[in-house]
């Protein structure tokens, strides 16, 4: 018996999701490099590779170290490394596997170059482009000049450009993921052309998120997509129309611990169990509540404290203290990060899987 | 060298916070049973006990197991246990240490009684009262009747009542923590009187949260307070006026990885590193952003994605790529839960401490 609350993964649905995205990449003749942040489980990364992915993406050196230790041999750290000790760690990995790291500033590139030179290694780098998300990434207008400056630095090989934008159009969240994907792809393809015209041999033009992947994959000049969430899916992606709720491969199983009023049940998972980064009622999705309660479409997961989930239900609902409920969270990636292990539901039975790259912050 | 992002605890400030709350309990002649959810570290629980706490509070059996394994011998699980396997685990603990468990429904009490009887043990229970938070807890009007019903059950000893309300007045969030504390205390003291009048010997009347502790402790008839956050403090408590920001004993250290615009820096901690359960601009605190950037009062921690923190700064701010920043999070308890370890800054130097009860969901 598994004690609640716990993360439950439906292997058959997960494999379907993996196949579907692999088919999108194959159909468009581009590479798929899934972001492992969603599952953080090496065995699932291997399933993605077995289905045709060319490598994986991670955000932190520590995640790359876990994945390498479990036999993954092609990793892109899609995050600017600016601290010597972390660059050293990435260089250690680069001795054993194919590694690409990110850069988004000249000062960062100089640091990478300096540490790589000291180690007598050459580091493959991709330049991150800000296409509207306003986080890391060089400004679009400054990208060609920075690419040229990086090209001049020793011990770095500028192999590509990449961006992450998500479902944004004109800088604002959108439900029109087709238009968002097309715009993202066209921005990046044009920029790649400009950089190549400046004399730089650029191999990879890497883009995309789960909701935009299908559309950005069709843009001429794009060579790679990096979706993450698709492996499980979640309530957010279902609202984007990527898949149905029934196709979500992961949920959290909770127990009803109290029904203090006819229209309110309390479950044993709150903000320590479900991520709160995708809040209800925010644009563009305007999700109602913190998750979808399977089998109870009228239930609203209204509030959470750390260990309590407050779910509003119809007074007539047949839910009693002690009952288990399955809840599909708004955001599965950050929810997975809250769990030390997952229960994998396979044809052969249940298997407990450690989430080996969970909580890897550095 | 410690890689960022990481949780940093200032031991001297923490000990001051521990002493201050112990003095509040002592002055009012009541017991202090800190909620260990804030630190999740057995060694810190022991510091609280050494300073005069009578025992500790946890929310889950798994947390109690960790604390017991590290030598804590007086634990209240302030959470209704309704599943047999968890009740069995609590009974195992009760053989070795002083254990109290919570109950808030007749069906829950019957389950506790049944499992305790099967194990030939008597379990000390406290009845949870809903004083306005609308989560677990029996309705105030129904409490006397439920106490009487529990009293009839075999193998249970009803030793007290407890509530958690936080800073609420008339059901709405308030900054008037003095009035909130007084009202909470008076509600519970009156109820304790009613239950005693019905012939039940009730020992403990347990209440309180960090912002209300000082005030509820003064109410006649209250025997125990259970604050948690005070041990470190956080931005939320500072806004409640519990302490100054300078008295916060814990922060997260991050590195600036990008400054893509003059007025924007990106740090290497996002929603995997900082809790998002206390959102900016919500009542009653209306906190600006997700944390306070030490030394930069004008900085606003505007947005987060999983690994990126977006901080708006004045264009003239002297912050460069590679710099470290210390950020006091809005909510320290849920932030601690995201970290596998903390760095304890002591007079003797830095010490790495495992957050042993982190991620204990069951």
């Amino acid at each position: 018996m598994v004690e609640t609350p716990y993360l439950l993964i439906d292997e058959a649905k997960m494999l379907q999701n993996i196949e579907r995205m692999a088919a999108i990449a194959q159909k468009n003749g581009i590479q798929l490099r899934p972001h492992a942040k969603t599952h953080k489980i090496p065995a699932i990364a291997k399933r993605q590779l077995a289905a045709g992915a060319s490598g994986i993406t991670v955000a932190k050196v520590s995640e790359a170290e876990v994945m390498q230790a479990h036999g993954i041999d092609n990793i892109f750290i899609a995050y600017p490394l600016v601290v010597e000790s972390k660059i050293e760690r990435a260089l250690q990995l680069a001795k054993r596997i194919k590694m690409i790291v990110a850069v988004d500033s000249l000062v960062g590139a100089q640091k990478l170059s300096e540490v790589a030179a000291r180690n007598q290694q050459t580091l493959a780098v991709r330049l991150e482009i800000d296409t509207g998300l306003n986080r890391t990434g060089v400004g679009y207008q400054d990208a060609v000049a920075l690419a040229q400056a990086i090209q001049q630095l020793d011990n770095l090989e500028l192999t590509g450009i990449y961006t992450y934008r998500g479902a944004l159009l004109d800088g604002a969240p959108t439900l029109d993921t087709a238009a968002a994907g097309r715009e993202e792809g066209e921005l990046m393809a044009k920029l790649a052309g400009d950089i190549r015209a400046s004399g730089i041999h650029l191999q990879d033009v890497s883009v995309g998120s789960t909701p935009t992947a299908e559309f950005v994959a069709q843009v001429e000049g794009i060579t790679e997509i990096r979706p993450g969430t698709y492996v499980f899916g979640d309530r957010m992606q279902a609202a984007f129309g990527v898949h149905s709720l029934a196709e979500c491969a992961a949920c959290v199983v909770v127990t009803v611990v109290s029904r203090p009023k006819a229209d309110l049940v309390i479950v044993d998972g709150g903000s320590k169990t479900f991520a709160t980064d995708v809040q209800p009622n925010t644009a563009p999705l305007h999700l109602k509540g913190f998750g979808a309660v399977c089998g109870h479409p009228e239930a609203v997961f209204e509030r959470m404290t750390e260990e309590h989930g407050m779910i509003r239900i119809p007074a007539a609902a047949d839910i009693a203290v002690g009952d288990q409920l399955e809840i599909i969270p708004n955001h599965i990636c950050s929810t997975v990060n809250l769990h030390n292990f997952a229960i994998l539901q396979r044809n052969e039975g249940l298997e407990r899987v450690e989430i080996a790259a969970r909580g890897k912050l550095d």
Side-chain angles (χ1 to χ4, degrees), chain A:
Chain A
M1 209 213 55
V2 188
E3 299 273 28
T4 61
Y6 68 90
L7 185 71
L8 180 66
I9 300 170
D10 183 314
E11 189 183 51
K13 290 183 184 178
M14 178 187 80
L15 293 178
Q16 245 174 357
N17 293 342
I18 289 174
E19 291 299 337
R20 199 185 309 138
M21 191 60 79
I24 287 173
Q26 196 181 16
K27 183 177 137 197
N28 292 286
I30 62 174
Q31 299 203 304
L32 168 62
R33 186 184 279 278
H35 205 307
K37 77 189 181 93
T38 305
H39 52 70
K40 305 177 200 295
I41 296 173
I44 296 181
K46 289 181 189 172
R47 292 297 193 110
Q48 293 173 310
L49 292 165
S54 57
I56 65 164
T57 305
V58 300
K60 298 292 176 97
V61 183
S62 51
E63 294 175 329
E65 287 166 343
V66 171
M67 292 294 170
Q68 184 274 329
H70 284 82
I72 312 290
D73 64 359
N74 186 336
I75 303 178
F76 170 38
I77 302 178
Y79 202 84
L81 298 183
V82 301
V83 173
E84 285 197 24
S85 50
K86 289 189 185 173
I87 299 169
E88 295 272 6
R89 287 160 62 191
L91 285 162
Q92 285 302 314
L93 290 171
K95 287 181 183 167
R96 279 167 262 158
I97 63 172
K98 178 170 161 63
M99 280 291 309
I100 312 167
V101 302
V103 66
D104 81 337
S105 66
L106 184 58
V107 56
Q110 286 165 335
K111 183 67 81 177
L112 288 175
S113 166
E114 178 193 318
V115 183
R118 190 193 309 147
N119 284 269
Q120 298 177 293
Q121 285 178 259
T122 294
L123 207 42
V125 300
R126 287 179 177 179
L127 176 59
E128 181 176 9
I129 314 297
D130 178 15
T131 50
L133 190 56
N134 268 313
R135 54 176 203 190
T136 47
V138 62
Y140 192 82
Q141 303 304 329
D142 303 323
V144 177
L146 182 55
Q148 288 178 311
I150 292 170
Q151 182 79 348
Q152 306 302 316
L153 294 171
D154 294 332
N155 299 77
L156 297 186
E157 186 192 359
L158 181 62
T159 60
I161 56 174
Y162 82 104
T163 195
Y164 178 82
R165 203 172 68 148
L168 287 181
L169 213 50
D170 297 325
T174 181
L175 282 172
D176 190 350
T177 51
R182 274 194 305 271
E183 190 178 87
E184 178 189 9
E186 283 158 13
L187 277 168
M188 290 293 281
K190 156 126 191 13
L191 181 61
D194 292 349
I195 293 175
R196 288 184 183 121
S198 83
I200 296 171
H201 173 74
L202 207 63
Q203 189 179 304
D204 307 313
V205 184
S206 173
V207 294
S209 60
T210 291
T212 60
E214 178 185 350
F215 310 104
V216 73
Q218 301 174 35
V219 176
E220 183 74 32
I222 296 305
T223 70
E224 180 184 281
I225 50 173
R226 301 186 325 280
T229 317
Y230 78 95
V231 65
F232 296 147
D234 59 17
R235 194 159 172 246
M236 180 166 49
Q237 300 303 332
F240 273 127
V242 174
H243 51 68
S244 69
L245 271 180
E247 288 167 317
C248 288
C251 68
V252 175
V253 184
V254 295
T255 297
V256 174
V257 296
S258 187
R259 187 171 177 174
K261 300 182 174 70
D263 64 347
L264 180 69
V265 290
I266 317 297
V267 298
D268 61 353
S271 60
K272 247 177 70 181
T273 301
F274 295 92
T276 50
D277 55 342
V278 174
Q279 291 272 314
N281 302 315
T282 54
L285 299 174
H286 301 286
L287 296 169
K288 233 174 144 180
F290 287 99
V293 184
C294 301
H296 298 277
E298 69 298 331
V300 180
F301 192 169
E302 268 184 358
R303 292 187 302 137
M304 286 196 253
T305 50
E306 281 153 78
E307 303 285 11
H308 300 74
M310 274 59 86
I311 303 178
R312 188 70 54 185
I313 56 168
D318 183 23
I319 303 178
V321 169
D323 286 357
Q324 291 193 354
L325 296 174
E326 295 186 356
I327 298 181
I328 297 170
N330 285 358
H331 191 190
I332 191 65
C333 313
S334 39
T335 294
V336 167
N337 187 56
L338 297 171
H339 293 259
N340 294 328
F341 66 92
I343 299 295
L344 193 62
Q345 187 163 21
R346 321 182 61 172
N347 278 338
E348 301 83 355
L350 300 182
E351 185 186 328
R352 187 184 160 110
V353 187
E354 193 204 355
I355 303 174
R358 188 213 65 76
K360 298 293 174 193
L361 301 182
D362 65 330

